[in-house]
Amino acid sequence: MQERISIPTFSRRRRSAARGSTGGRNGRLIEVGLVETDVEQNITGGLHFRCNPHRRSQARARRVHGIQDCELEHCPEFAARADELLEAVRGKTVVIHDRTMDLLWFNRELQATRPGAPRFEDCCTVIDSFVLARAVPSERRRNGLDALLEWYGLGARGGHHDAYGDAALLSRVFFELWWDLDEWLYGE
């Protein structure tokens, strides 16, 4: 069986995989979180790191991720960890909540720090759990990560959103969605 890495995303800055950013149109990636699970939902590995963006985070972004600028001053730049990230996902199935947003962030950062680097999605198979949630028929009206956590009774993200924690929660949501889709397609 193939193992999965799940990647949640941080609203307007994120990424399971999950990510965090300084916010804004020209924001920079500041946090990456990957959780690798087996088909029994056991965490079998992962990756978590913070990056020095060499710029201040917007106040709105800091309220979401809770990471202060001073906490990033001694972290390496994304370029120093880019190869490690790409190697961690190479050949794997990666689950991302809001693929469009996260791939935009990852690929922009990869090209800025490693011109000519492969696109993130060229290294792995990407499943968008947001699209999957919309495809599964239900009475659910919202498909954001918080709404799905509530719908499946998996608890809620409290306080700040960290990339690794979001990735772990997304992996749980993904399996619930997968089981729902399986039940809808094939019955009990």
Side-chain angles (χ1 to χ4, degrees):
M1 279 295 201
Q2 187 177 21
E3 295 182 78
R4 290 185 168 70
I5 294 179
S6 59
I7 300 185
T9 54
F10 277 124
S11 37
R12 300 288 176 256
R13 42 147 209 125
R14 351 165 195 184
R15 157 202 66 81
S16 72
R19 66 163 179 79
S21 78
T22 57
R25 291 180 69 144
N26 296 314
R28 298 291 306 270
L29 202 62
I30 62 169
E31 186 178 31
V32 173
L34 301 174
V35 174
E36 190 168 10
T37 62
D38 60 21
V39 293
E40 285 84 33
Q41 299 185 54
N42 300 308
I43 294 176
T44 59
L47 179 67
H48 180 235
F49 60 87
R50 290 182 173 177
C51 310
N52 186 340
H54 297 291
R55 66 176 64 165
R56 295 177 48 80
S57 292
Q58 292 182 349
R60 182 176 179 199
R62 279 195 311 274
R63 283 193 296 275
V64 174
H65 55 63
I67 300 171
Q68 301 302 313
D69 296 328
C70 62
E71 296 176 66
L72 302 171
E73 290 174 356
H74 300 292
C75 294
E77 295 177 353
F78 178 78
R81 306 292 300 265
D83 289 338
E84 183 180 6
L85 172 62
L86 292 176
E87 191 55 39
V89 301
R90 191 170 318 286
K92 304 281 176 79
T93 299
V94 177
V95 179
I96 298 177
H97 199 73
D98 191 357
R99 165 194 174 109
T100 304
M101 179 66 69
D102 283 350
L103 291 180
L104 172 86
W105 280 93
F106 282 129
N107 288 328
R108 182 170 47 182
E109 198 74 34
L110 283 168
Q111 288 309 307
T113 59
R114 296 261 202 245
R119 294 179 315 160
F120 187 87
E121 62 271 29
D122 292 339
C123 295
C124 56
T125 301
V126 177
I127 295 175
D128 188 338
S129 58
F130 182 77
V131 171
L132 183 61
R134 292 177 60 199
V136 175
S138 76
E139 298 170 11
R140 189 179 59 246
R141 297 204 190 289
R142 300 173 315 152
N143 294 303
L145 186 55
D146 289 327
L148 292 170
L149 287 166
E150 183 179 327
W151 177 263
Y152 288 117
L154 298 173
R157 296 189 290 184
H160 297 116
H161 300 226
D162 72 282
Y164 190 83
D166 279 4
L169 291 171
L170 180 58
S171 70
R172 295 176 65 198
V173 165
F174 171 75
F175 282 106
E176 294 291 339
L177 286 168
W178 192 260
W179 292 327
D180 278 357
L181 184 61
D182 184 65
E183 183 177 321
W184 179 70
L185 290 172
Y186 305 109
E188 298 194 42

